[in-house]
Amino acid sequence: MKRVRVVIGASLPALLAGMFALASTAWADETGTTNSRKEDRPATGSNIRRDKTPLLSWALPMDKTYDQLSPEEKKHVRSAYEEMPATDEPPYPLFGMGKASEPMSEIQQKLLAQGRVRIDVRVDRNGEAVSATIVETPNTTIGKAVAMVLMHTKFKPAKCGDQRCEMDFPFAFNFIVK
């Protein structure tokens, strides 16, 4: 499985059009090598759980912001991280996952991809996605397309104590063709 880091500065429609045009292009990670699992690499500052797949596979309400989630739903989000102090909060899509799911739905209708996509999005202290690492994908095209959507998603910044901080947001979704 290849790991891909995506850093984006173009418009979403232009990027998606380019994605479909480059469907057969193979990508390697930033070093030119491939790695099958994050667990094979030493930790690099992220506190996303490495002992199991992150639990954010979207069993949460798509239309709720982090502040609107119930305590049990917030616990579910926090469970994707190791040892997160009670005073910390993870990054989360500012308007809930509903906004990001609309272009993902369009992508799925065109590509008809099937399988699990896992992407870690690095979110800065201002809530901007600064990079995305594809951890798992059924094919490169859907992985890159979903990463681009997430890169254009505005996030609620993470909180470390009483300050905003940079942190990864783990995204996982299982695409199914019916």
Side-chain angles (χ1 to χ4, degrees), residues 45-48 78 81-82 84-85 88-92 120-131 155-161 163-170:
S46 174
N47 65 345
I48 294 174
R78 295 169 60 84
Y81 298 85
E82 294 179 353
M84 182 174 281
D88 291 2
E89 290 183 0
Y92 196 81
D120 292 343
V121 180
R122 176 60 64 153
V123 179
D124 71 14
R125 63 185 320 145
N126 297 312
E128 300 293 331
V130 294
S131 69
F155 288 85
K156 172 199 83 63
K159 284 176 52 179
C160 298
Q163 295 187 351
R164 293 177 172 194
C165 60
E166 186 172 280
M167 190 182 295
D168 286 348
F169 173 77

PDB file of all heavy atoms in Angstrom, residues 45-48 78 81-82 84-85 88-92 120-131 155-161 163-170:
ATOM      1  N   GLY A  45       4.986  12.741  15.856  1.00  0.00           N
ATOM      2  CA  GLY A  45       4.292  13.866  16.446  1.00  0.00           C
ATOM      3  C   GLY A  45       2.785  13.736  16.449  1.00  0.00           C
ATOM      4  O   GLY A  45       2.110  14.485  17.113  1.00  0.00           O
ATOM      5  N   SER A  46       2.221  12.802  15.707  1.00  0.00           N
ATOM      6  CA  SER A  46       0.786  12.609  15.715  1.00  0.00           C
ATOM      7  C   SER A  46       0.413  11.739  16.901  1.00  0.00           C
ATOM      8  O   SER A  46       1.159  10.852  17.285  1.00  0.00           O
ATOM      9  CB  SER A  46       0.340  11.921  14.420  1.00  0.00           C
ATOM     10  OG  SER A  46      -1.028  11.614  14.501  1.00  0.00           O
ATOM     11  N   ASN A  47      -0.756  11.997  17.470  1.00  0.00           N
ATOM     12  CA  ASN A  47      -1.192  11.132  18.560  1.00  0.00           C
ATOM     13  C   ASN A  47      -2.392  10.297  18.144  1.00  0.00           C
ATOM     14  O   ASN A  47      -3.173   9.858  18.965  1.00  0.00           O
ATOM     15  CB  ASN A  47      -1.477  11.933  19.838  1.00  0.00           C
ATOM     16  CG  ASN A  47      -2.638  12.889  19.677  1.00  0.00           C
ATOM     17  OD1 ASN A  47      -3.078  13.176  18.568  1.00  0.00           O
ATOM     18  ND2 ASN A  47      -3.132  13.381  20.798  1.00  0.00           N
ATOM     19  N   ILE A  48      -2.534  10.054  16.828  1.00  0.00           N
ATOM     20  CA  ILE A  48      -3.563   9.147  16.341  1.00  0.00           C
ATOM     21  C   ILE A  48      -3.160   7.743  16.766  1.00  0.00           C
ATOM     22  O   ILE A  48      -1.997   7.369  16.680  1.00  0.00           O
ATOM     23  CB  ILE A  48      -3.708   9.237  14.812  1.00  0.00           C
ATOM     24  CG1 ILE A  48      -4.233  10.626  14.422  1.00  0.00           C
ATOM     25  CG2 ILE A  48      -4.636   8.146  14.290  1.00  0.00           C
ATOM     26  CD1 ILE A  48      -4.277  10.870  12.941  1.00  0.00           C
ATOM     27  N   ARG A  78     -12.735  11.305  20.135  1.00  0.00           N
ATOM     28  CA  ARG A  78     -11.496  11.318  20.918  1.00  0.00           C
ATOM     29  C   ARG A  78     -10.841   9.946  21.004  1.00  0.00           C
ATOM     30  O   ARG A  78      -9.643   9.839  21.219  1.00  0.00           O
ATOM     31  CB  ARG A  78     -11.772  11.865  22.314  1.00  0.00           C
ATOM     32  CG  ARG A  78     -12.208  13.338  22.316  1.00  0.00           C
ATOM     33  CD  ARG A  78     -12.727  13.772  23.676  1.00  0.00           C
ATOM     34  NE  ARG A  78     -11.725  13.633  24.714  1.00  0.00           N
ATOM     35  CZ  ARG A  78     -10.782  14.535  24.987  1.00  0.00           C
ATOM     36  NH1 ARG A  78     -10.772  15.665  24.324  1.00  0.00           N
ATOM     37  NH2 ARG A  78      -9.897  14.334  25.929  1.00  0.00           N
ATOM     38  N   TYR A  81      -7.566   8.906  19.223  1.00  0.00           N
ATOM     39  CA  TYR A  81      -6.297   9.482  19.669  1.00  0.00           C
ATOM     40  C   TYR A  81      -5.813   8.771  20.931  1.00  0.00           C
ATOM     41  O   TYR A  81      -6.602   8.331  21.750  1.00  0.00           O
ATOM     42  CB  TYR A  81      -6.459  10.983  19.968  1.00  0.00           C
ATOM     43  CG  TYR A  81      -6.873  11.786  18.763  1.00  0.00           C
ATOM     44  CD1 TYR A  81      -8.208  11.902  18.418  1.00  0.00           C
ATOM     45  CD2 TYR A  81      -5.929  12.404  17.957  1.00  0.00           C
ATOM     46  CE1 TYR A  81      -8.601  12.620  17.309  1.00  0.00           C
ATOM     47  CE2 TYR A  81      -6.310  13.130  16.846  1.00  0.00           C
ATOM     48  CZ  TYR A  81      -7.646  13.231  16.525  1.00  0.00           C
ATOM     49  OH  TYR A  81      -8.031  13.947  15.418  1.00  0.00           O
ATOM     50  N   GLU A  82      -4.499   8.725  21.083  1.00  0.00           N
ATOM     51  CA  GLU A  82      -3.905   8.155  22.287  1.00  0.00           C
ATOM     52  C   GLU A  82      -3.827   9.200  23.386  1.00  0.00           C
ATOM     53  O   GLU A  82      -3.429  10.330  23.138  1.00  0.00           O
ATOM     54  CB  GLU A  82      -2.483   7.670  21.996  1.00  0.00           C
ATOM     55  CG  GLU A  82      -2.431   6.518  21.028  1.00  0.00           C
ATOM     56  CD  GLU A  82      -1.010   6.072  20.734  1.00  0.00           C
ATOM     57  OE1 GLU A  82      -0.056   6.737  21.180  1.00  0.00           O
ATOM     58  OE2 GLU A  82      -0.872   5.062  20.051  1.00  0.00           O
ATOM     59  N   MET A  84      -5.408  11.469  25.091  1.00  0.00           N
ATOM     60  CA  MET A  84      -5.758  12.872  24.938  1.00  0.00           C
ATOM     61  C   MET A  84      -6.281  13.398  26.277  1.00  0.00           C
ATOM     62  O   MET A  84      -7.291  12.916  26.776  1.00  0.00           O
ATOM     63  CB  MET A  84      -6.811  13.058  23.849  1.00  0.00           C
ATOM     64  CG  MET A  84      -7.165  14.516  23.619  1.00  0.00           C
ATOM     65  SD  MET A  84      -8.271  14.767  22.218  1.00  0.00           S
ATOM     66  CE  MET A  84      -7.121  14.647  20.873  1.00  0.00           C
ATOM     67  N   PRO A  85      -5.591  14.379  26.859  1.00  0.00           N
ATOM     68  CA  PRO A  85      -6.062  14.939  28.135  1.00  0.00           C
ATOM     69  C   PRO A  85      -7.469  15.527  28.002  1.00  0.00           C
ATOM     70  O   PRO A  85      -7.867  15.964  26.920  1.00  0.00           O
ATOM     71  CB  PRO A  85      -5.041  16.046  28.442  1.00  0.00           C
ATOM     72  CG  PRO A  85      -3.831  15.685  27.646  1.00  0.00           C
ATOM     73  CD  PRO A  85      -4.334  14.990  26.414  1.00  0.00           C
ATOM     74  N   ASP A  88      -7.907  18.802  26.227  1.00  0.00           N
ATOM     75  CA  ASP A  88      -7.593  18.899  24.801  1.00  0.00           C
ATOM     76  C   ASP A  88      -8.803  18.520  23.958  1.00  0.00           C
ATOM     77  O   ASP A  88      -9.671  17.775  24.403  1.00  0.00           O
ATOM     78  CB  ASP A  88      -6.440  17.975  24.435  1.00  0.00           C
ATOM     79  CG  ASP A  88      -5.102  18.431  25.019  1.00  0.00           C
ATOM     80  OD1 ASP A  88      -5.077  19.444  25.749  1.00  0.00           O
ATOM     81  OD2 ASP A  88      -4.097  17.756  24.742  1.00  0.00           O
ATOM     82  N   GLU A  89      -8.846  19.057  22.745  1.00  0.00           N
ATOM     83  CA  GLU A  89      -9.877  18.703  21.776  1.00  0.00           C
ATOM     84  C   GLU A  89      -9.209  18.461  20.436  1.00  0.00           C
ATOM     85  O   GLU A  89      -8.293  19.196  20.052  1.00  0.00           O
ATOM     86  CB  GLU A  89     -10.896  19.830  21.601  1.00  0.00           C
ATOM     87  CG  GLU A  89     -11.803  20.062  22.764  1.00  0.00           C
ATOM     88  CD  GLU A  89     -12.827  21.157  22.491  1.00  0.00           C
ATOM     89  OE1 GLU A  89     -12.826  21.752  21.383  1.00  0.00           O
ATOM     90  OE2 GLU A  89     -13.627  21.425  23.392  1.00  0.00           O
ATOM     91  N   PRO A  90      -9.679  17.460  19.682  1.00  0.00           N
ATOM     92  CA  PRO A  90      -9.108  17.214  18.355  1.00  0.00           C
ATOM     93  C   PRO A  90      -9.659  18.194  17.326  1.00  0.00           C
ATOM     94  O   PRO A  90     -10.691  18.826  17.561  1.00  0.00           O
ATOM     95  CB  PRO A  90      -9.583  15.792  18.043  1.00  0.00           C
ATOM     96  CG  PRO A  90     -10.877  15.684  18.772  1.00  0.00           C
ATOM     97  CD  PRO A  90     -10.711  16.491  20.030  1.00  0.00           C
ATOM     98  N   PRO A  91      -8.988  18.314  16.177  1.00  0.00           N
ATOM     99  CA  PRO A  91      -9.597  19.098  15.098  1.00  0.00           C
ATOM    100  C   PRO A  91     -10.822  18.356  14.588  1.00  0.00           C
ATOM    101  O   PRO A  91     -10.942  17.139  14.770  1.00  0.00           O
ATOM    102  CB  PRO A  91      -8.492  19.151  14.031  1.00  0.00           C
ATOM    103  CG  PRO A  91      -7.651  17.953  14.295  1.00  0.00           C
ATOM    104  CD  PRO A  91      -7.734  17.694  15.777  1.00  0.00           C
ATOM    105  N   TYR A  92     -11.734  19.089  13.975  1.00  0.00           N
ATOM    106  CA  TYR A  92     -12.966  18.491  13.476  1.00  0.00           C
ATOM    107  C   TYR A  92     -13.504  19.403  12.377  1.00  0.00           C
ATOM    108  O   TYR A  92     -13.365  20.618  12.461  1.00  0.00           O
ATOM    109  CB  TYR A  92     -13.988  18.376  14.619  1.00  0.00           C
ATOM    110  CG  TYR A  92     -15.139  17.451  14.319  1.00  0.00           C
ATOM    111  CD1 TYR A  92     -15.004  16.074  14.455  1.00  0.00           C
ATOM    112  CD2 TYR A  92     -16.357  17.964  13.887  1.00  0.00           C
ATOM    113  CE1 TYR A  92     -16.069  15.224  14.173  1.00  0.00           C
ATOM    114  CE2 TYR A  92     -17.423  17.112  13.609  1.00  0.00           C
ATOM    115  CZ  TYR A  92     -17.264  15.748  13.750  1.00  0.00           C
ATOM    116  OH  TYR A  92     -18.317  14.902  13.469  1.00  0.00           O
ATOM    117  N   ASP A 120      -5.012  10.757   6.957  1.00  0.00           N
ATOM    118  CA  ASP A 120      -4.686  11.610   8.098  1.00  0.00           C
ATOM    119  C   ASP A 120      -4.442  13.015   7.566  1.00  0.00           C
ATOM    120  O   ASP A 120      -3.577  13.220   6.719  1.00  0.00           O
ATOM    121  CB  ASP A 120      -3.429  11.117   8.824  1.00  0.00           C
ATOM    122  CG  ASP A 120      -3.649   9.784   9.529  1.00  0.00           C
ATOM    123  OD1 ASP A 120      -4.808   9.395   9.732  1.00  0.00           O
ATOM    124  OD2 ASP A 120      -2.646   9.135   9.867  1.00  0.00           O
ATOM    125  N   VAL A 121      -5.230  13.959   8.051  1.00  0.00           N
ATOM    126  CA  VAL A 121      -5.121  15.355   7.605  1.00  0.00           C
ATOM    127  C   VAL A 121      -4.460  16.162   8.717  1.00  0.00           C
ATOM    128  O   VAL A 121      -4.935  16.184   9.849  1.00  0.00           O
ATOM    129  CB  VAL A 121      -6.514  15.957   7.298  1.00  0.00           C
ATOM    130  CG1 VAL A 121      -6.391  17.402   6.830  1.00  0.00           C
ATOM    131  CG2 VAL A 121      -7.254  15.104   6.279  1.00  0.00           C
ATOM    132  N   ARG A 122      -3.366  16.827   8.405  1.00  0.00           N
ATOM    133  CA  ARG A 122      -2.695  17.708   9.362  1.00  0.00           C
ATOM    134  C   ARG A 122      -3.414  19.042   9.323  1.00  0.00           C
ATOM    135  O   ARG A 122      -3.518  19.677   8.276  1.00  0.00           O
ATOM    136  CB  ARG A 122      -1.222  17.864   8.996  1.00  0.00           C
ATOM    137  CG  ARG A 122      -0.418  18.834   9.850  1.00  0.00           C
ATOM    138  CD  ARG A 122      -0.365  18.496  11.313  1.00  0.00           C
ATOM    139  NE  ARG A 122       0.307  17.255  11.594  1.00  0.00           N
ATOM    140  CZ  ARG A 122       0.920  16.974  12.721  1.00  0.00           C
ATOM    141  NH1 ARG A 122       0.980  17.879  13.674  1.00  0.00           N
ATOM    142  NH2 ARG A 122       1.465  15.804  12.918  1.00  0.00           N
ATOM    143  N   VAL A 123      -3.950  19.454  10.480  1.00  0.00           N
ATOM    144  CA  VAL A 123      -4.704  20.701  10.599  1.00  0.00           C
ATOM    145  C   VAL A 123      -3.899  21.674  11.457  1.00  0.00           C
ATOM    146  O   VAL A 123      -3.490  21.329  12.567  1.00  0.00           O
ATOM    147  CB  VAL A 123      -6.097  20.440  11.232  1.00  0.00           C
ATOM    148  CG1 VAL A 123      -6.878  21.734  11.383  1.00  0.00           C
ATOM    149  CG2 VAL A 123      -6.874  19.421  10.405  1.00  0.00           C
ATOM    150  N   ASP A 124      -3.658  22.879  10.934  1.00  0.00           N
ATOM    151  CA  ASP A 124      -2.864  23.849  11.687  1.00  0.00           C
ATOM    152  C   ASP A 124      -3.697  24.541  12.760  1.00  0.00           C
ATOM    153  O   ASP A 124      -4.894  24.304  12.895  1.00  0.00           O
ATOM    154  CB  ASP A 124      -2.154  24.845  10.757  1.00  0.00           C
ATOM    155  CG  ASP A 124      -3.081  25.853  10.084  1.00  0.00           C
ATOM    156  OD1 ASP A 124      -4.255  26.001  10.502  1.00  0.00           O
ATOM    157  OD2 ASP A 124      -2.622  26.519   9.140  1.00  0.00           O
ATOM    158  N   ARG A 125      -3.073  25.419  13.492  1.00  0.00           N
ATOM    159  CA  ARG A 125      -3.736  26.091  14.621  1.00  0.00           C
ATOM    160  C   ARG A 125      -4.840  27.051  14.201  1.00  0.00           C
ATOM    161  O   ARG A 125      -5.602  27.530  15.019  1.00  0.00           O
ATOM    162  CB  ARG A 125      -2.700  26.783  15.500  1.00  0.00           C
ATOM    163  CG  ARG A 125      -1.950  27.877  14.775  1.00  0.00           C
ATOM    164  CD  ARG A 125      -0.841  28.513  15.573  1.00  0.00           C
ATOM    165  NE  ARG A 125      -1.248  28.680  16.942  1.00  0.00           N
ATOM    166  CZ  ARG A 125      -0.439  28.558  17.997  1.00  0.00           C
ATOM    167  NH1 ARG A 125       0.818  28.290  17.820  1.00  0.00           N
ATOM    168  NH2 ARG A 125      -0.883  28.729  19.209  1.00  0.00           N
ATOM    169  N   ASN A 126      -4.940  27.338  12.886  1.00  0.00           N
ATOM    170  CA  ASN A 126      -6.007  28.199  12.370  1.00  0.00           C
ATOM    171  C   ASN A 126      -7.156  27.400  11.746  1.00  0.00           C
ATOM    172  O   ASN A 126      -8.068  27.986  11.175  1.00  0.00           O
ATOM    173  CB  ASN A 126      -5.446  29.174  11.339  1.00  0.00           C
ATOM    174  CG  ASN A 126      -4.441  30.113  11.966  1.00  0.00           C
ATOM    175  OD1 ASN A 126      -4.700  30.686  13.022  1.00  0.00           O
ATOM    176  ND2 ASN A 126      -3.286  30.250  11.338  1.00  0.00           N
ATOM    177  N   GLY A 127      -7.069  26.067  11.796  1.00  0.00           N
ATOM    178  CA  GLY A 127      -8.118  25.230  11.238  1.00  0.00           C
ATOM    179  C   GLY A 127      -7.957  24.943   9.758  1.00  0.00           C
ATOM    180  O   GLY A 127      -8.884  24.441   9.119  1.00  0.00           O
ATOM    181  N   GLU A 128      -6.792  25.242   9.205  1.00  0.00           N
ATOM    182  CA  GLU A 128      -6.528  24.984   7.785  1.00  0.00           C
ATOM    183  C   GLU A 128      -5.827  23.643   7.637  1.00  0.00           C
ATOM    184  O   GLU A 128      -4.870  23.339   8.365  1.00  0.00           O
ATOM    185  CB  GLU A 128      -5.638  26.083   7.189  1.00  0.00           C
ATOM    186  CG  GLU A 128      -6.234  27.474   7.253  1.00  0.00           C
ATOM    187  CD  GLU A 128      -7.467  27.638   6.374  1.00  0.00           C
ATOM    188  OE1 GLU A 128      -7.577  26.951   5.338  1.00  0.00           O
ATOM    189  OE2 GLU A 128      -8.330  28.458   6.735  1.00  0.00           O
ATOM    190  N   ALA A 129      -6.273  22.848   6.674  1.00  0.00           N
ATOM    191  CA  ALA A 129      -5.589  21.601   6.354  1.00  0.00           C
ATOM    192  C   ALA A 129      -4.292  21.950   5.630  1.00  0.00           C
ATOM    193  O   ALA A 129      -4.308  22.694   4.652  1.00  0.00           O
ATOM    194  CB  ALA A 129      -6.471  20.728   5.482  1.00  0.00           C
ATOM    195  N   VAL A 130      -3.165  21.451   6.130  1.00  0.00           N
ATOM    196  CA  VAL A 130      -1.879  21.778   5.521  1.00  0.00           C
ATOM    197  C   VAL A 130      -1.265  20.600   4.790  1.00  0.00           C
ATOM    198  O   VAL A 130      -0.403  20.783   3.936  1.00  0.00           O
ATOM    199  CB  VAL A 130      -0.886  22.362   6.550  1.00  0.00           C
ATOM    200  CG1 VAL A 130      -1.375  23.708   7.052  1.00  0.00           C
ATOM    201  CG2 VAL A 130      -0.654  21.412   7.699  1.00  0.00           C
ATOM    202  N   SER A 131      -1.692  19.384   5.101  1.00  0.00           N
ATOM    203  CA  SER A 131      -1.244  18.213   4.356  1.00  0.00           C
ATOM    204  C   SER A 131      -2.200  17.060   4.621  1.00  0.00           C
ATOM    205  O   SER A 131      -2.956  17.074   5.590  1.00  0.00           O
ATOM    206  CB  SER A 131       0.186  17.814   4.747  1.00  0.00           C
ATOM    207  OG  SER A 131       0.219  17.319   6.072  1.00  0.00           O
ATOM    208  N   PHE A 155     -11.544  23.385   9.191  1.00  0.00           N
ATOM    209  CA  PHE A 155     -11.655  22.639  10.437  1.00  0.00           C
ATOM    210  C   PHE A 155     -11.735  23.550  11.651  1.00  0.00           C
ATOM    211  O   PHE A 155     -11.211  24.661  11.641  1.00  0.00           O
ATOM    212  CB  PHE A 155     -10.432  21.731  10.614  1.00  0.00           C
ATOM    213  CG  PHE A 155     -10.405  20.561   9.688  1.00  0.00           C
ATOM    214  CD1 PHE A 155      -9.893  20.682   8.403  1.00  0.00           C
ATOM    215  CD2 PHE A 155     -10.884  19.329  10.086  1.00  0.00           C
ATOM    216  CE1 PHE A 155      -9.855  19.594   7.534  1.00  0.00           C
ATOM    217  CE2 PHE A 155     -10.861  18.236   9.240  1.00  0.00           C
ATOM    218  CZ  PHE A 155     -10.347  18.379   7.960  1.00  0.00           C
ATOM    219  N   LYS A 156     -12.376  23.036  12.678  1.00  0.00           N
ATOM    220  CA  LYS A 156     -12.269  23.621  14.007  1.00  0.00           C
ATOM    221  C   LYS A 156     -10.867  23.232  14.457  1.00  0.00           C
ATOM    222  O   LYS A 156     -10.502  22.067  14.419  1.00  0.00           O
ATOM    223  CB  LYS A 156     -13.313  23.007  14.953  1.00  0.00           C
ATOM    224  CG  LYS A 156     -13.124  23.434  16.410  1.00  0.00           C
ATOM    225  CD  LYS A 156     -13.833  22.504  17.366  1.00  0.00           C
ATOM    226  CE  LYS A 156     -13.069  21.270  17.710  1.00  0.00           C
ATOM    227  NZ  LYS A 156     -11.805  21.433  18.416  1.00  0.00           N
ATOM    228  N   PRO A 157     -10.036  24.187  14.849  1.00  0.00           N
ATOM    229  CA  PRO A 157      -8.675  23.827  15.251  1.00  0.00           C
ATOM    230  C   PRO A 157      -8.671  22.956  16.510  1.00  0.00           C
ATOM    231  O   PRO A 157      -9.597  23.006  17.321  1.00  0.00           O
ATOM    232  CB  PRO A 157      -7.997  25.167  15.545  1.00  0.00           C
ATOM    233  CG  PRO A 157      -8.922  26.218  15.074  1.00  0.00           C
ATOM    234  CD  PRO A 157     -10.277  25.624  14.935  1.00  0.00           C
ATOM    235  N   ALA A 158      -7.631  22.176  16.636  1.00  0.00           N
ATOM    236  CA  ALA A 158      -7.453  21.388  17.857  1.00  0.00           C
ATOM    237  C   ALA A 158      -7.125  22.332  19.012  1.00  0.00           C
ATOM    238  O   ALA A 158      -6.652  23.451  18.800  1.00  0.00           O
ATOM    239  CB  ALA A 158      -6.314  20.394  17.665  1.00  0.00           C
ATOM    240  N   LYS A 159      -7.394  21.875  20.219  1.00  0.00           N
ATOM    241  CA  LYS A 159      -7.016  22.626  21.417  1.00  0.00           C
ATOM    242  C   LYS A 159      -6.095  21.764  22.262  1.00  0.00           C
ATOM    243  O   LYS A 159      -6.401  20.603  22.525  1.00  0.00           O
ATOM    244  CB  LYS A 159      -8.260  23.000  22.231  1.00  0.00           C
ATOM    245  CG  LYS A 159      -9.035  24.155  21.616  1.00  0.00           C
ATOM    246  CD  LYS A 159     -10.309  24.486  22.343  1.00  0.00           C
ATOM    247  CE  LYS A 159     -10.138  24.688  23.822  1.00  0.00           C
ATOM    248  NZ  LYS A 159     -11.414  25.044  24.494  1.00  0.00           N
ATOM    249  N   CYS A 160      -4.991  22.328  22.635  1.00  0.00           N
ATOM    250  CA  CYS A 160      -4.051  21.691  23.557  1.00  0.00           C
ATOM    251  C   CYS A 160      -4.055  22.561  24.811  1.00  0.00           C
ATOM    252  O   CYS A 160      -3.474  23.650  24.812  1.00  0.00           O
ATOM    253  CB  CYS A 160      -2.656  21.597  22.952  1.00  0.00           C
ATOM    254  SG  CYS A 160      -2.604  20.587  21.449  1.00  0.00           S
ATOM    255  N   GLY A 161      -4.769  22.079  25.831  1.00  0.00           N
ATOM    256  CA  GLY A 161      -4.986  22.917  27.009  1.00  0.00           C
ATOM    257  C   GLY A 161      -5.924  24.037  26.630  1.00  0.00           C
ATOM    258  O   GLY A 161      -7.002  23.802  26.097  1.00  0.00           O
ATOM    259  N   GLN A 163      -4.978  26.488  24.442  1.00  0.00           N
ATOM    260  CA  GLN A 163      -4.474  27.117  23.225  1.00  0.00           C
ATOM    261  C   GLN A 163      -4.791  26.272  22.003  1.00  0.00           C
ATOM    262  O   GLN A 163      -4.828  25.037  22.076  1.00  0.00           O
ATOM    263  CB  GLN A 163      -2.962  27.314  23.320  1.00  0.00           C
ATOM    264  CG  GLN A 163      -2.556  28.285  24.389  1.00  0.00           C
ATOM    265  CD  GLN A 163      -1.063  28.567  24.321  1.00  0.00           C
ATOM    266  OE1 GLN A 163      -0.323  27.917  23.596  1.00  0.00           O
ATOM    267  NE2 GLN A 163      -0.622  29.554  25.073  1.00  0.00           N
ATOM    268  N   ARG A 164      -4.977  26.937  20.869  1.00  0.00           N
ATOM    269  CA  ARG A 164      -5.114  26.240  19.603  1.00  0.00           C
ATOM    270  C   ARG A 164      -3.781  25.589  19.264  1.00  0.00           C
ATOM    271  O   ARG A 164      -2.730  26.157  19.556  1.00  0.00           O
ATOM    272  CB  ARG A 164      -5.487  27.200  18.490  1.00  0.00           C
ATOM    273  CG  ARG A 164      -6.851  27.797  18.628  1.00  0.00           C
ATOM    274  CD  ARG A 164      -7.074  28.783  17.515  1.00  0.00           C
ATOM    275  NE  ARG A 164      -8.454  29.240  17.505  1.00  0.00           N
ATOM    276  CZ  ARG A 164      -8.992  29.882  16.499  1.00  0.00           C
ATOM    277  NH1 ARG A 164      -8.278  30.163  15.424  1.00  0.00           N
ATOM    278  NH2 ARG A 164     -10.253  30.252  16.558  1.00  0.00           N
ATOM    279  N   CYS A 165      -3.826  24.421  18.630  1.00  0.00           N
ATOM    280  CA  CYS A 165      -2.582  23.745  18.260  1.00  0.00           C
ATOM    281  C   CYS A 165      -2.762  22.959  16.967  1.00  0.00           C
ATOM    282  O   CYS A 165      -3.882  22.747  16.509  1.00  0.00           O
ATOM    283  CB  CYS A 165      -2.118  22.827  19.387  1.00  0.00           C
ATOM    284  SG  CYS A 165      -3.295  21.528  19.812  1.00  0.00           S
ATOM    285  N   GLU A 166      -1.668  22.531  16.396  1.00  0.00           N
ATOM    286  CA  GLU A 166      -1.671  21.711  15.193  1.00  0.00           C
ATOM    287  C   GLU A 166      -1.850  20.254  15.605  1.00  0.00           C
ATOM    288  O   GLU A 166      -1.258  19.801  16.587  1.00  0.00           O
ATOM    289  CB  GLU A 166      -0.344  21.902  14.458  1.00  0.00           C
ATOM    290  CG  GLU A 166      -0.287  21.214  13.126  1.00  0.00           C
ATOM    291  CD  GLU A 166       0.963  21.593  12.354  1.00  0.00           C
ATOM    292  OE1 GLU A 166       0.969  22.681  11.743  1.00  0.00           O
ATOM    293  OE2 GLU A 166       1.910  20.793  12.369  1.00  0.00           O
ATOM    294  N   MET A 167      -2.685  19.527  14.848  1.00  0.00           N
ATOM    295  CA  MET A 167      -2.927  18.125  15.171  1.00  0.00           C
ATOM    296  C   MET A 167      -3.485  17.437  13.928  1.00  0.00           C
ATOM    297  O   MET A 167      -4.079  18.085  13.071  1.00  0.00           O
ATOM    298  CB  MET A 167      -3.935  18.023  16.327  1.00  0.00           C
ATOM    299  CG  MET A 167      -4.105  16.642  16.917  1.00  0.00           C
ATOM    300  SD  MET A 167      -5.351  16.578  18.260  1.00  0.00           S
ATOM    301  CE  MET A 167      -4.595  17.603  19.528  1.00  0.00           C
ATOM    302  N   ASP A 168      -3.303  16.125  13.848  1.00  0.00           N
ATOM    303  CA  ASP A 168      -3.866  15.359  12.743  1.00  0.00           C
ATOM    304  C   ASP A 168      -5.330  15.031  12.991  1.00  0.00           C
ATOM    305  O   ASP A 168      -5.747  14.816  14.128  1.00  0.00           O
ATOM    306  CB  ASP A 168      -3.106  14.043  12.555  1.00  0.00           C
ATOM    307  CG  ASP A 168      -1.733  14.246  11.928  1.00  0.00           C
ATOM    308  OD1 ASP A 168      -1.452  15.354  11.441  1.00  0.00           O
ATOM    309  OD2 ASP A 168      -0.955  13.283  11.931  1.00  0.00           O
ATOM    310  N   PHE A 169      -6.085  14.971  11.901  1.00  0.00           N
ATOM    311  CA  PHE A 169      -7.479  14.527  11.921  1.00  0.00           C
ATOM    312  C   PHE A 169      -7.555  13.234  11.116  1.00  0.00           C
ATOM    313  O   PHE A 169      -7.259  13.223   9.923  1.00  0.00           O
ATOM    314  CB  PHE A 169      -8.392  15.585  11.293  1.00  0.00           C
ATOM    315  CG  PHE A 169      -9.811  15.130  11.125  1.00  0.00           C
ATOM    316  CD1 PHE A 169     -10.668  15.087  12.220  1.00  0.00           C
ATOM    317  CD2 PHE A 169     -10.289  14.726   9.886  1.00  0.00           C
ATOM    318  CE1 PHE A 169     -11.976  14.661  12.076  1.00  0.00           C
ATOM    319  CE2 PHE A 169     -11.594  14.306   9.733  1.00  0.00           C
ATOM    320  CZ  PHE A 169     -12.441  14.261  10.830  1.00  0.00           C
ATOM    321  N   PRO A 170      -7.913  12.105  11.760  1.00  0.00           N
ATOM    322  CA  PRO A 170      -7.999  10.841  11.017  1.00  0.00           C
ATOM    323  C   PRO A 170      -9.370  10.694  10.361  1.00  0.00           C
ATOM    324  O   PRO A 170     -10.404  10.836  11.012  1.00  0.00           O
ATOM    325  CB  PRO A 170      -7.815   9.794  12.118  1.00  0.00           C
ATOM    326  CG  PRO A 170      -8.402  10.441  13.333  1.00  0.00           C
ATOM    327  CD  PRO A 170      -8.126  11.924  13.190  1.00  0.00           C
TER     328      PRO A 170
END
